[in-house]
Amino acid sequence: MIQTIGLKKVFNTGGEKTSVLKGIDFSVQKGEFVAIMGPSGSGKSTLLQLLGGLDVPTEGAIKLDGVELQKKTEKQRTIIRRRKIGFVFQSYQLLPTLSVYENIAFPLHADGRKVDSVAIHELLNAVDLKGYDKRFPYELSGGQQQRVAIARALIHQPDILLADEPTGNLDRERSSDILDLLSAFHQDRGQTIVMVTHDLFAAGYADRIVLFKDGLIETEVQREDDDYAEFLSRFMA
Amino acid sequence: MSVKHSLLALLYEKPRHGYELKTGFDELVESMWPLNAGQVYTTLDRLERDNLVESPGHDLKDRKQYTITKQGKDELWNWLEKPVGRSLLKDEFYFKYLCASFVDYKDKQRMIQVQKQTMMKDVLNLTQLRKQMNQSGNKTMKMLVEGALLHLEADIKWLDMIARD
Ligand SMILES: Nc1ncnc2c1ncn2[C@@H]1O[C@H](COP(=O)(O)OP(=O)(O)O)[C@@H](O)[C@H]1O
Ligand SMILES: [Mg+2]
């Protein structure tokens, strides 16, 4: 579904070059739930941005359903992103002046699509926020805001959901709610998910964990691997 | 787990014979804790001796029926009212760690790492169990798993503290 080949990213800040991704070969199959873990600053968010077409690599290729994103113009990437990608961030990023309903409808508006109110209410139900459609973000708790953000990320039925530390701002209980929710979308609807997290409790939900270090993939572990936990603990020690 | 009180609870609901108590227990705890039929019968004997249950006789298939007595209900209620304790200053790992210091064991850091790995494996397994429970819609034992995960979280933090000490 999505594949990167020799992906490199160098940032230029004030004449200084920082090499953030140093050659990432990574792929995600349809229906997979993948977690990316690694120290802060190792390039996880940068990879997610590239996968979602928010930015382009310095070198290498990103194929989304066979389409090479880095060859597209910004405009073309925006269209592809609006159709195929859903984003969830640590900081929710809801629009403060819009109601819950309007926030969820926003990606459809942006894409010039008809707003399907049945679908919005169905998603509100799924994220356990029935009856919250007229509320505003400031009236909601962090966990509730993140659930709105998940609904917004999924309203256009994206092929792939990219979540960057979706539980990073939440306590354990609220995190569990969010993870249960993501895992339900994964299991019941076959939603493909790539989630960055530094929390083992979150990563445990994934089928596969990719461990990042210094802009490179250090190792990958499948849930079925016998040494799954050992790999992780060595990595996180 | 108090087998005695679980049997009282099952008999509080309705009269049953021994085998029904065994299957009733398995259902109650979702087969999370094993209980053999032998334990059920010895416990029933003691309950009967202490007048907490009594038998109105045998059913048509000649199985001995049991009912809860007034005294049995009081016992059940008293038990429900009392808080339970947890052993706070008894820790198997720390004990081993103390022994390691005592004999000048060189690889104490490794002991901590291996212990941590075991706990991380538990985290991953429990997370999967939680996922399965969500999927099957069976929520009875969810909070048990949730509690175990919270304890593991604290234990892992604690191991990190020991490692730094
Ligand atoms: N737009 C940018 N311009 C310059 N440097 C950046 C930019 N985005 C990220 N970086 C740098 O790239 C490195 C990796 O960042 P990031 O991908 O956010 O890491 P992670 O998500 O793993 O913590 C950091 O050192 C960060 O400062
Ligand atoms: Mg990041």
Side-chain angles (χ1 to χ4, degrees):
Chain A
M1 154 152 293
I2 200 161
Q3 189 190 10
T4 77
I5 303 150
L7 208 62
K8 293 187 182 171
K9 182 71 184 175
V10 179
F11 285 113
N12 266 314
T13 36
E16 215 177 301
K17 287 188 172 180
T18 344
S19 185
V20 173
L21 298 179
K22 299 171 182 168
I24 303 285
D25 298 309
F26 169 73
S27 62
V28 181
Q29 306 303 316
K30 191 167 161 40
E32 252 195 310
F33 186 169
V34 182
I36 299 177
M37 301 185 84
S40 134
S42 58
K44 305 178 301 291
S45 296
T46 304
L47 175 67
L48 232 51
Q49 305 259 314
L50 295 180
L51 291 178
L54 286 170
D55 198 355
V56 279
T58 313
E59 239 181 86
I62 310 162
K63 287 188 192 167
L64 176 60
D65 285 333
V67 175
E68 298 204 29
L69 284 184
Q70 82 284 356
K71 288 188 179 162
K72 301 288 167 187
T73 63
E74 192 172 340
K75 220 175 187 164
Q76 288 169 322
R77 274 188 283 123
T78 302
I79 292 170
I80 294 170
R81 186 170 62 245
R82 284 175 179 163
R83 301 273 151 87
K84 300 196 165 205
I85 308 283
F87 268 106
V88 176
F89 303 94
Q90 177 172 356
S91 52
Y92 326 131
Q93 303 201 3
L94 301 176
L95 294 163
T97 57
L98 299 185
S99 70
V100 164
Y101 183 95
E102 291 161 340
N103 263 288
I104 299 173
F106 192 79
L108 298 176
H109 278 301
D111 196 29
R113 282 203 251 174
K114 206 171 145 276
V115 171
D116 181 349
S117 106
V118 175
I120 292 180
H121 282 103
E122 196 257 329
L123 262 179
L124 272 171
N125 260 343
V127 300
D128 208 15
L129 285 174
K130 195 184 162 115
Y132 280 71
D133 49 333
K134 295 191 180 63
R135 304 278 192 103
F136 284 84
Y138 68 86
E139 298 176 293
L140 306 179
S141 70
Q144 290 172 329
Q145 288 189 53
Q146 192 61 304
R147 282 186 273 143
V148 175
I150 290 172
R152 176 188 57 185
L154 296 175
I155 186 61
H156 58 300
Q157 300 183 315
D159 294 345
I160 186 159
L161 177 70
L162 302 173
D164 197 349
E165 311 235 11
T167 60
N169 280 348
L170 302 172
D171 62 24
R172 172 73 48 224
E173 204 179 334
R174 249 48 63 177
S175 296
S176 295
D177 288 347
I178 295 298
L179 293 162
D180 282 348
L181 199 60
L182 291 178
S183 136
F185 280 110
H186 170 242
Q187 291 185 314
D188 304 343
R189 308 183 189 198
Q191 181 65 53
T192 309
I193 302 175
V194 178
M195 171 176 74
V196 167
T197 183
H198 56 245
D199 182 9
L200 180 71
F201 292 75
Y205 280 77
D207 306 323
R208 175 158 63 106
I209 304 183
V210 176
L211 303 173
F212 248 69
K213 198 174 173 183
D214 282 340
L216 286 168
I217 291 179
E218 170 133 309
T219 181
E220 287 195 22
V221 264
Q222 295 281 347
R223 156 148 293 291
E224 303 82 50
D225 293 350
D226 288 337
D227 38 13
Y228 187 68
E230 205 204 316
F231 261 123
L232 282 178
S233 53
R234 243 192 290 145
F235 187 77
M236 292 180 79
Chain B
M1 245 38 74
S2 171
V3 175
K4 168 178 164 181
H5 293 99
S6 69
L7 298 188
L8 289 176
L10 289 164
L11 292 174
Y12 182 88
E13 189 207 15
K14 63 173 193 222
R16 302 176 199 241
H17 56 73
Y19 188 70
E20 279 175 328
L21 284 165
K22 148 87 180 129
T23 53
F25 180 91
D26 291 345
E27 265 171 50
L28 179 69
V29 305
E30 311 251 333
S31 301
M32 205 75 134
W33 298 294
L35 173 72
N36 62 47
Q39 273 173 287
V40 173
Y41 291 108
T42 49
T43 309
L44 277 172
D45 286 345
R46 257 181 283 133
L47 286 169
E48 198 174 14
R49 181 198 65 199
D50 297 340
N51 300 317
L52 300 176
V53 306
E54 61 194 9
S55 177
H58 290 64
D59 68 4
L60 294 173
K61 286 185 178 162
D62 202 32
R63 291 172 302 198
K64 189 171 178 186
Q65 290 280 325
Y66 292 91
T67 57
I68 192 168
T69 62
K70 165 80 177 60
Q71 222 176 312
K73 285 179 188 173
D74 290 346
E75 170 61 31
L76 177 61
W77 247 243
N78 278 334
W79 176 70
L80 292 174
E81 267 170 18
K82 272 197 220 104
V84 296
R86 212 184 248 286
S87 108
L88 294 172
L89 292 178
K90 233 187 200 172
D91 187 272
E92 210 52 49
F93 175 76
Y94 205 69
F95 176 64
K96 199 180 260 200
Y97 192 71
L98 284 178
C99 291
S101 309
F102 190 72
V103 301
D104 237 347
Y105 184 71
K106 287 288 170 277
D107 225 349
K108 292 203 308 188
Q109 283 298 327
R110 168 137 188 91
M111 271 176 87
I112 298 173
Q113 281 318 311
V114 172
Q115 186 63 33
K116 190 169 163 185
Q117 280 168 22
T118 309
M119 287 178 175
M120 289 173 85
K121 201 172 256 174
D122 290 340
V123 169
L124 297 167
N125 290 337
L126 286 176
T127 306
Q128 283 303 303
L129 184 60
R130 207 187 127 85
K131 244 173 95 169
Q132 282 161 17
M133 284 175 173
N134 282 334
Q135 208 185 4
S136 66
N138 186 342
K139 302 279 161 77
T140 329
M141 288 295 176
K142 197 171 148 180
M143 282 300 138
L144 182 70
V145 175
E146 201 68 20
L149 282 167
L150 283 170
H151 283 123
L152 277 169
E153 187 181 19
D155 281 340
I156 290 173
K157 271 189 196 151
W158 176 65
L159 284 176
D160 288 339
M161 275 173 73
I162 299 175
R164 281 194 303 270
D165 187 36

Short mmCIF file of all heavy atoms in Angstrom, two decimals, chain A residues 11 13 20 39-46, ligand 1:
data_model
loop_
_atom_site.label_atom_id
_atom_site.label_comp_id
_atom_site.label_asym_id
_atom_site.label_seq_id
_atom_site.Cartn_x
_atom_site.Cartn_y
_atom_site.Cartn_z
N PHE A 11 17.43 18.70 6.36
CA PHE A 11 16.87 20.03 6.59
C PHE A 11 17.99 21.05 6.55
O PHE A 11 19.08 20.82 7.05
CB PHE A 11 16.18 20.11 7.96
CG PHE A 11 14.85 19.43 8.00
CD1 PHE A 11 14.67 18.28 8.78
CD2 PHE A 11 13.77 19.91 7.27
CE1 PHE A 11 13.43 17.64 8.83
CE2 PHE A 11 12.54 19.28 7.32
CZ PHE A 11 12.38 18.14 8.09
N THR A 13 18.91 24.52 7.93
CA THR A 13 18.51 25.59 8.85
C THR A 13 19.69 26.53 9.04
O THR A 13 20.71 26.16 9.62
CB THR A 13 18.04 25.04 10.21
OG1 THR A 13 18.84 23.90 10.53
CG2 THR A 13 16.58 24.64 10.20
N VAL A 20 18.21 14.11 8.69
CA VAL A 20 17.24 13.57 9.64
C VAL A 20 16.83 12.13 9.29
O VAL A 20 16.74 11.28 10.16
CB VAL A 20 16.00 14.49 9.72
CG1 VAL A 20 14.92 13.86 10.56
CG2 VAL A 20 16.39 15.84 10.30
N PRO A 39 13.86 7.02 19.91
CA PRO A 39 14.15 8.19 20.73
C PRO A 39 13.64 9.46 20.06
O PRO A 39 13.48 9.50 18.84
CB PRO A 39 15.68 8.22 20.79
CG PRO A 39 16.15 6.92 20.30
CD PRO A 39 15.07 6.32 19.48
N SER A 40 13.41 10.45 20.86
CA SER A 40 12.94 11.72 20.33
C SER A 40 14.05 12.33 19.47
O SER A 40 15.23 12.22 19.79
CB SER A 40 12.50 12.58 21.52
OG SER A 40 12.99 13.86 21.40
N GLY A 41 13.66 12.89 18.35
CA GLY A 41 14.64 13.46 17.42
C GLY A 41 15.19 12.46 16.42
O GLY A 41 16.04 12.78 15.60
N SER A 42 14.67 11.22 16.44
CA SER A 42 15.23 10.21 15.54
C SER A 42 14.59 10.23 14.15
O SER A 42 14.97 9.45 13.29
CB SER A 42 15.10 8.81 16.17
OG SER A 42 13.77 8.50 16.46
N GLY A 43 13.60 11.11 13.95
CA GLY A 43 13.05 11.29 12.61
C GLY A 43 11.69 10.66 12.37
O GLY A 43 11.21 10.62 11.24
N LYS A 44 11.03 10.23 13.43
CA LYS A 44 9.74 9.55 13.28
C LYS A 44 8.67 10.47 12.67
O LYS A 44 7.98 10.09 11.72
CB LYS A 44 9.25 9.02 14.64
CG LYS A 44 10.25 8.13 15.35
CD LYS A 44 9.76 7.67 16.71
CE LYS A 44 9.46 8.78 17.70
NZ LYS A 44 10.63 9.52 18.20
N SER A 45 8.55 11.67 13.24
CA SER A 45 7.54 12.59 12.73
C SER A 45 7.84 13.00 11.30
O SER A 45 6.94 13.13 10.47
CB SER A 45 7.45 13.84 13.61
OG SER A 45 7.02 13.49 14.90
N THR A 46 9.12 13.18 11.03
CA THR A 46 9.52 13.55 9.67
C THR A 46 9.08 12.47 8.68
O THR A 46 8.53 12.77 7.63
CB THR A 46 11.06 13.75 9.60
OG1 THR A 46 11.42 14.73 10.58
CG2 THR A 46 11.50 14.19 8.23
N1 LIG C 1 11.09 21.58 9.44
C1 LIG C 1 12.26 21.31 10.04
N2 LIG C 1 13.33 22.10 9.88
C2 LIG C 1 14.51 21.82 10.46
N3 LIG C 1 14.73 20.76 11.25
C3 LIG C 1 13.71 19.94 11.48
C4 LIG C 1 12.42 20.17 10.88
N4 LIG C 1 11.59 19.17 11.28
C5 LIG C 1 12.32 18.36 12.09
N5 LIG C 1 13.58 18.83 12.20
C6 LIG C 1 14.67 18.19 12.96
O1 LIG C 1 14.73 16.82 12.62
C7 LIG C 1 15.04 16.00 13.69
C8 LIG C 1 14.02 14.88 13.81
O2 LIG C 1 12.76 15.42 14.12
P1 LIG C 1 11.44 14.55 14.21
O3 LIG C 1 11.19 13.87 12.93
O4 LIG C 1 10.40 15.46 14.71
O5 LIG C 1 11.86 13.48 15.32
P2 LIG C 1 10.92 12.58 16.23
O6 LIG C 1 9.52 12.69 15.76
O7 LIG C 1 11.49 11.22 16.11
O8 LIG C 1 11.11 13.10 17.61
C9 LIG C 1 15.09 16.91 14.90
O9 LIG C 1 16.40 17.17 15.22
C10 LIG C 1 14.38 18.15 14.45
O10 LIG C 1 14.90 19.30 15.08
#
